[in-house]
Every structure is written in structure tokens, then in C-alpha cells.
Amino acid sequence: MSRAAVIEPVLLVHGGAGVRRQDIDAGSEDEIRGALAQALRQGHALLQAGHGALDAVTAAVVVLEDSPHFNAGRGAVFTHDGRNEMDAAVMDGATLRAGAVANLEHVRNPVLLARAVMEHSPHVMLAGAGAETFAREHGIALADPDYFRTELRWRQWQEALRREASGSNEDTPGGDRFGTVGAVALDVHGHLAAATSTGGMTGKRWNRIGDSAVIGAGTYADSHCAVSGTGWGEFYIRTAAAHAICMRVAHMRQSVHDAAERVIRGEIPELGGSGGAIALAADGTFAMPFNTAGMFRGRMGADGVPHVAIWKDEP
Amino acid sequence: MSRAAVIEPVLLVHGGAGVRRQDIDAGSEDEIRGALAQALRQGHALLQAGHGALDAVTAAVVVLEDSPHFNAGRGAVFTHDGRNEMDAAVMDGATLRAGAVANLEHVRNPVLLARAVMEHSPHVMLAGAGAETFAREHGIALADPDYFRTELRWRQWQEALRREASGSNEDTPGGDRFGTVGAVALDVHGHLAAATSTGGMTGKRWNRIGDSAVIGAGTYADSHCAVSGTGWGEFYIRTAAAHAICMRVAHMRQSVHDAAERVIRGEIPELGGSGGAIALAADGTFAMPFNTAGMFRGRMGADGVPHVAIWKDEP
């Protein structure tokens, strides 16, 4: 009883599910793996220095938002009418405090605004112009819409419009429905946190809000478990996917592996959805299931080495 | 095994928790009880005629949205800057399909738009101007902002501004944080549905979205259980209250009474929140817990009589 448990901090990140080998060239793949490793190093260094899980997931997600390779922040996909509209959320497992923002067009790092909402407003979820007013009042960095316009996403949008005009129902090549980024962390105090950020689906309409900003759907953390999802968001909302995984871990005594498998590779595909998630338990066990060809993902733990993977056959 | 189970349809409604005896006069109380009874009769008649649970909860919520006495539709409270901004959601337990809308200013019956989003869009959740564009495209009735301006809510807003100016942290008299409406139903096919509609909190800012429109927080239904919540929404989001109740019923084999008690009178007040919920299981058992002085509520089942109650000591 006198032994002080030494908790090894752990950080997991994802950069979206749904990618296929034909979608990315070798140069992009290297840059993507580099960005995931950089996000892991940045967040894990904070954990090693004794910072909280919330600081680590925020820092890791900022790195991924700043990369043009992921559908979040800088690399956000285009809406049906050619805008970039971003959602994000954070949740602190120790206190169940949460912040979520949706329909942002001018916020450079949506995850930083989600965190400010959690810490400096009486509300959990803000949207649109109101959320951006809050951002200005709290000194959150804004960006011109041009900042979010990348060549890849612009081409995907044009392609989506062409397919719509020709009546095709095919999926957009390049997994443009996916690419959401997220992180979950366990800190030296044994506390968990989760963060998710996204540009949503290419061609989305009517100020659609996806699962990333819906606490319980794409993002959840409590004292037992933290989850960040990435996939076809509507199915994550309908199954309350992140909360369902955490309920299974916290109250049904399932391993985080079994809990995440059941929801991500059971409930969601049974309804017709697809995607993945990263899930981390308070004992440091974790799972990174996905039901697509690939998922950008990474982990950094006791060995202090960033482990990055994309395809199914990678460890 | 040859016996065809006869399922008695059940409908529950609520018109918000948080009301205190000193907040309403006898005339208002009569009108409120009358509106709850009317909502029950309207929805239950559909169930008796063999319509689905989704039709019943939609019809019941429309009656409550049309009454000026509840904080939803017509009687919505005012935001900090003097607007009415409404959220709503519906969920069909049999299919896990859901629709949610937020930050509406011109939609006469937000619940009808939530249902249209579920039935006629590829998305689950729409907000603000985009949601209203979708409403126009789908023939959903709009209303001028004047329609939502009631004397009671205007006075509550003025009072809230005065208290803010004087630095008071007191709760607004009249339970203006509450008054959300909702319904859950079990139809003759054994299917469940839930619907919730609200004007949110008086004085809310920055396009705040509350729990009513967050699937899993204020609204959830699956094949075992349907829940509609009413209370201080931020706590319902943080605990994913409606989904937590349904997970306990569906996967932890708790009675709907125990599940709802644990979340509404356990988890939420432990975090500092308050409110109530209506919860209905597929076997027709139900619970209507609240941790406030009163909750506008009602039930109609096999006896075909609307049972309406407000205070704790009523059956």
C-alpha cells in the first residue's frame, strides 16, 4: 500500500481513417508520418514535464491542424458552397469539463477555441458567428479564409461537384470524408483527456455539424477512458460512439480493446457507417480500431519513441 | 409462443424542470396543465391509431411549442442580445436515425425541422442560417421573430440584464433556465422515439447550443429506451445524460427507474447541475425523475386518461 504508483504517460494521435494506398504518393506519406511523429513528440514532452493530459492533447492537435495534410485547421475540406467550416472539441476526463465549437470559418486552431470555451465560458458548445465573437473576445488567433485553401482540398471539392452534377454516388477519391484529427492522453497524475478537430465532409451543406464537436459522439473522456473518433460522423452521433466506448470501460468492465472493437467494428458498420477511433484507458491500455483500409495514427509511451502507422498490416 | 403480445402504447411528456410554486399563478398553472394534457391526447391518439412512436412525440412536442407557457417555439426565452434562438432534436429508437437543429430564429416548430433533417438530409445535425435554408427548401413553416416575443420571456430577459448589471449571481426567478419541452413514446409495434425542443437559457451568448440538440445529451432513443431531458444543459452534455440512461437500460440491465435516478439525481447534481428527464423502456416501464422543486410532466397509457403533474408530492 505504501508503493507510490508510477504512471507512465501515454499519448495517442490520429489523422483520420479512410485513406487508401492509391490516395497518397510517397512524398505525402513521408510528410504525414512526420507530422504525426511531431504531434506525438510535442504532446509527450509536455506529459514528461508533468503537464496535464489536456495540455498534451491540445498541443498535439495544434500540430496536426497546422499541417496541410489533414482535414482540420489548415487542410480543412470545402463545403458544398466552397467554404471551409470547422468543428472541434476537448474534454477533461478528471472533471468532465468540455468545450466544443462548430461552423468556424476564421479560427486558425479550432481546438484552442474549444479549450477556451471550456475554460472561460459558462457554456460547453458554441457555433458560428457567436463562437467567433467569443474567439475575438478571448484573443484566439484568427485566419483569413485563404489560409485554409489548399490545392488538394480545392481539387477534391471540384471533383465532388462534378460527380454531383453527373449524378454519381461514388465516394470521393482521397478519403475526403475523413481526415479528422484527434488525440487522447494519460498524464502522470493518472488523468485522461481527449481532443478532436475537423473540417467535416467535403461538400457538406446547411451548416452541418459533425461528430467531432458533439461531446459523446466523436469526443469523450472520463476518469476511466478517453476517446477521439474519426469517420462518417453521422454514425458516430447516432451511436454516441465515444461515450458508448467509455461506458463500456467505466461501467461494464470491458477492456478498452473490446469496448472500442464493439462500437467501431460492430455497431457503426452494422448501421452502414465507417471510420476509426483511438481509445485510451486509465491503466495505459489502448486501442486504435478502424474498419477502413487505413488510418493515420500514432502512439508514444514509456519508450519515448513515436510509433506511427497508416495501414492495417502495420503494428 | 403463439401468443401475440399486445403492446399498450405509452406517451410521456415534459414541459421543463425548475419551476417553483411562487413562479406561477393559478391561471397559468391551469393553462399549463391543459397544454400538457392536450399534448398527451394528441400524441396518444396517433399511437392508438397505430402510428409510430416518432409521429406521437413529434405531435406532442408541436402542441407544447405552440403554447406560450413553455420555453420552446412560441415561448422561447431571450438570448443575451434579445433574440430567440431555438434548438430541437428527434430520434427514432428502432433505426437509431436522428435529426437535430440548433440556433434557429425563424422556424415556427423546431421539432418539425429536426424531423425533416432526419428524414430528408444525409446529415444528423444542422445549425443557424444553413438549417433555416434547409427549412425553406423543405417547406417547413417559418415565423417572424415577433411571433416568439412573449411578455413573460421579455420581462425575464430584462430582469436578467438588470441582475447582470448589478453583478448579482442569483438565479432568475421563474426558472427561465428551464422550460424545455419533450416527449418519449412506445408504439404498438414496440418501437420507441424521443423528441426535445427548447429556447435554451435566458441570456445565453455566442450562439450557445444546449443539450436538447445534442444527440446523447438531452435526447436519445434506441430499441430498449427513450429519454428526453430538461435542465441545465451543460451538465447533460458533459454526462451524455440521455445516452447514459439508455446504456444502463440496454446493456447494464438496470430498470429505467434506477438508470434515470442514477444519472438525474446522482451524476448531474454531483457535478453541480440540476434538472429532470422522462425515460421510457420498451416494456412500458418509465421514470420521470427531477432534482428541482417541480417539473411539468404528464403520462398517458392504457387507461386513456392524461395524467399531469407539476410538484414533487403529486403522483
Side-chain angles (χ1 to χ4, degrees):
Chain A
M1 294 298 286
S2 66
R3 190 172 65 91
V6 176
I7 296 172
E8 280 292 350
V10 182
L11 177 66
L12 310 180
V13 299
H14 70 77
V19 64
R20 301 166 307 175
R21 288 193 194 266
Q22 64 264 42
D23 296 329
I24 49 171
D25 59 31
S28 298
E29 183 172 332
D30 285 350
E31 287 176 27
I32 287 166
R33 289 180 186 270
L36 291 166
Q38 178 61 14
L40 287 167
R41 275 189 223 99
Q42 206 108 327
H44 197 263
L46 292 171
L47 294 172
Q48 285 291 5
H51 286 273
L54 196 64
D55 289 339
V57 295
T58 307
V61 167
V62 164
V63 170
L64 300 174
E65 284 178 338
D66 288 345
S67 162
H69 289 291
F70 306 100
N71 175 17
R74 176 103 174 83
V77 299
F78 283 88
T79 64
H80 190 265
D81 51 355
R83 293 169 300 107
N84 303 101
E85 214 175 72
M86 295 160 283
D87 303 340
V90 297
M91 189 155 183
D92 178 39
T95 60
L96 294 182
R97 290 202 304 159
V101 285
N103 297 341
L104 307 177
E105 296 188 55
H106 307 89
V107 175
R108 191 178 176 103
N109 291 106
V111 72
L112 296 179
L113 180 56
R115 183 160 174 181
V117 168
M118 181 186 106
E119 294 182 332
H120 304 300
S121 92
H123 300 319
V124 168
M125 187 171 192
L126 305 181
E132 297 200 342
T133 298
F134 182 85
R136 276 188 293 275
E137 291 173 9
H138 289 80
I140 301 294
L142 302 180
D144 193 86
D146 278 356
Y147 169 77
F148 303 103
R149 179 179 163 155
T150 63
E151 194 49 36
L152 170 69
R153 301 309 185 187
W154 183 265
R155 282 204 318 269
Q156 287 177 336
W157 173 54
Q158 296 291 329
E159 180 58 28
L161 292 182
R162 255 196 306 278
R163 275 200 320 284
E164 184 183 273
S166 72
S168 161
N169 278 321
E170 259 180 82
D171 262 10
T172 319
D176 63 349
R177 177 178 290 155
F178 305 104
T180 295
V181 308
V184 292
L186 172 68
D187 65 29
V188 295
H189 312 290
H191 296 155
L192 294 157
T196 313
S197 181
T198 190
M201 297 164 64
T202 295
K204 66 183 178 182
R205 299 174 80 160
W206 309 296
N207 296 130
R208 173 253 197 189
I209 298 176
D211 63 310
S212 303
V214 175
I215 298 297
T219 307
Y220 202 77
D222 59 25
S223 56
H224 295 80
C225 164
V227 175
S228 173
T230 169
W232 193 345
E234 277 68 15
F235 293 90
Y236 285 68
I237 298 177
R238 292 167 56 194
T239 56
H243 184 252
I245 294 170
C246 285
M247 282 286 286
R248 287 172 179 273
V249 173
H251 296 291
M252 295 166 67
R253 303 190 176 281
Q254 294 185 2
S255 71
V256 70
H257 175 270
D258 290 354
E261 281 285 315
R262 178 70 207 112
V263 175
I264 300 300
R265 291 164 54 87
E267 292 177 16
I268 286 175
E270 283 159 20
L271 285 174
S274 54
I278 51 175
L280 179 61
D283 63 4
T285 57
F286 66 92
M288 308 176 90
F290 53 101
N291 54 39
T292 53
M295 179 168 85
F296 299 130
R297 61 198 190 275
R299 173 181 55 86
M300 192 157 169
D303 64 2
V305 177
H307 301 275
V308 168
I310 301 178
W311 313 114
K312 267 200 180 136
D313 48 11
E314 291 181 88
Chain B
M1 293 301 284
S2 66
R3 191 173 65 93
V6 175
I7 295 172
E8 280 291 350
V10 182
L11 177 65
L12 309 181
V13 298
H14 70 76
V19 63
R20 301 167 305 175
R21 288 192 194 265
Q22 64 265 40
D23 296 329
I24 48 171
D25 58 32
S28 299
E29 184 172 330
D30 284 351
E31 286 175 28
I32 287 165
R33 289 181 185 266
L36 292 166
Q38 178 62 13
L40 287 167
R41 274 190 223 100
Q42 207 108 326
H44 197 263
L46 293 171
L47 295 172
Q48 285 291 6
H51 286 274
L54 197 63
D55 289 338
V57 295
T58 307
V61 167
V62 164
V63 170
L64 301 174
E65 284 178 339
D66 288 345
S67 161
H69 289 292
F70 306 100
N71 174 18
R74 176 102 175 83
V77 300
F78 283 87
T79 64
H80 191 264
D81 51 356
R83 292 169 302 106
N84 303 102
E85 214 176 73
M86 295 161 284
D87 302 342
V90 296
M91 187 155 186
D92 178 38
T95 60
L96 294 182
R97 290 202 302 161
V101 285
N103 297 341
L104 308 177
E105 296 188 56
H106 307 88
V107 176
R108 189 177 175 106
N109 290 107
V111 72
L112 296 179
L113 181 57
R115 183 159 174 183
V117 168
M118 181 184 107
E119 294 181 333
H120 305 300
S121 93
H123 299 318
V124 169
M125 188 171 190
L126 305 181
E132 297 200 342
T133 298
F134 182 86
R136 277 188 292 274
E137 290 173 10
H138 289 80
I140 301 294
L142 301 180
D144 193 86
D146 279 355
Y147 169 76
F148 303 103
R149 178 179 165 155
T150 61
E151 193 51 36
L152 171 69
R153 300 308 185 188
W154 184 264
R155 282 204 318 268
Q156 288 176 336
W157 173 53
Q158 295 292 328
E159 179 60 25
L161 293 182
R162 255 196 305 279
R163 275 198 322 284
E164 185 183 273
S166 71
S168 161
N169 277 321
E170 260 180 82
D171 263 10
T172 319
D176 63 349
R177 176 178 290 156
F178 304 103
T180 296
V181 308
V184 292
L186 172 68
D187 64 29
V188 295
H189 313 291
H191 296 156
L192 294 156
T196 313
S197 181
T198 191
M201 296 163 64
T202 295
K204 66 183 177 182
R205 300 175 79 158
W206 309 296
N207 296 129
R208 173 254 196 188
I209 298 176
D211 63 311
S212 303
V214 175
I215 298 298
T219 307
Y220 203 77
D222 59 25
S223 56
H224 295 80
C225 163
V227 175
S228 173
T230 168
W232 192 346
E234 277 68 15
F235 293 90
Y236 285 67
I237 298 176
R238 292 166 57 193
T239 56
H243 184 254
I245 294 171
C246 285
M247 282 286 286
R248 287 173 179 273
V249 173
H251 296 290
M252 295 166 66
R253 303 189 177 283
Q254 294 185 1
S255 71
V256 70
H257 174 270
D258 290 354
E261 281 284 316
R262 179 70 207 110
V263 175
I264 301 300
R265 292 163 53 87
E267 292 178 16
I268 286 176
E270 283 159 20
L271 285 174
S274 54
I278 52 176
L280 179 61
D283 63 3
T285 56
F286 67 93
M288 308 176 89
F290 52 101
N291 55 39
T292 53
M295 179 167 86
F296 299 130
R297 62 198 189 275
R299 173 182 55 86
M300 193 157 168
D303 63 1
V305 177
H307 300 276
V308 168
I310 301 177
W311 313 113
K312 269 202 178 136
D313 49 10
E314 292 182 87

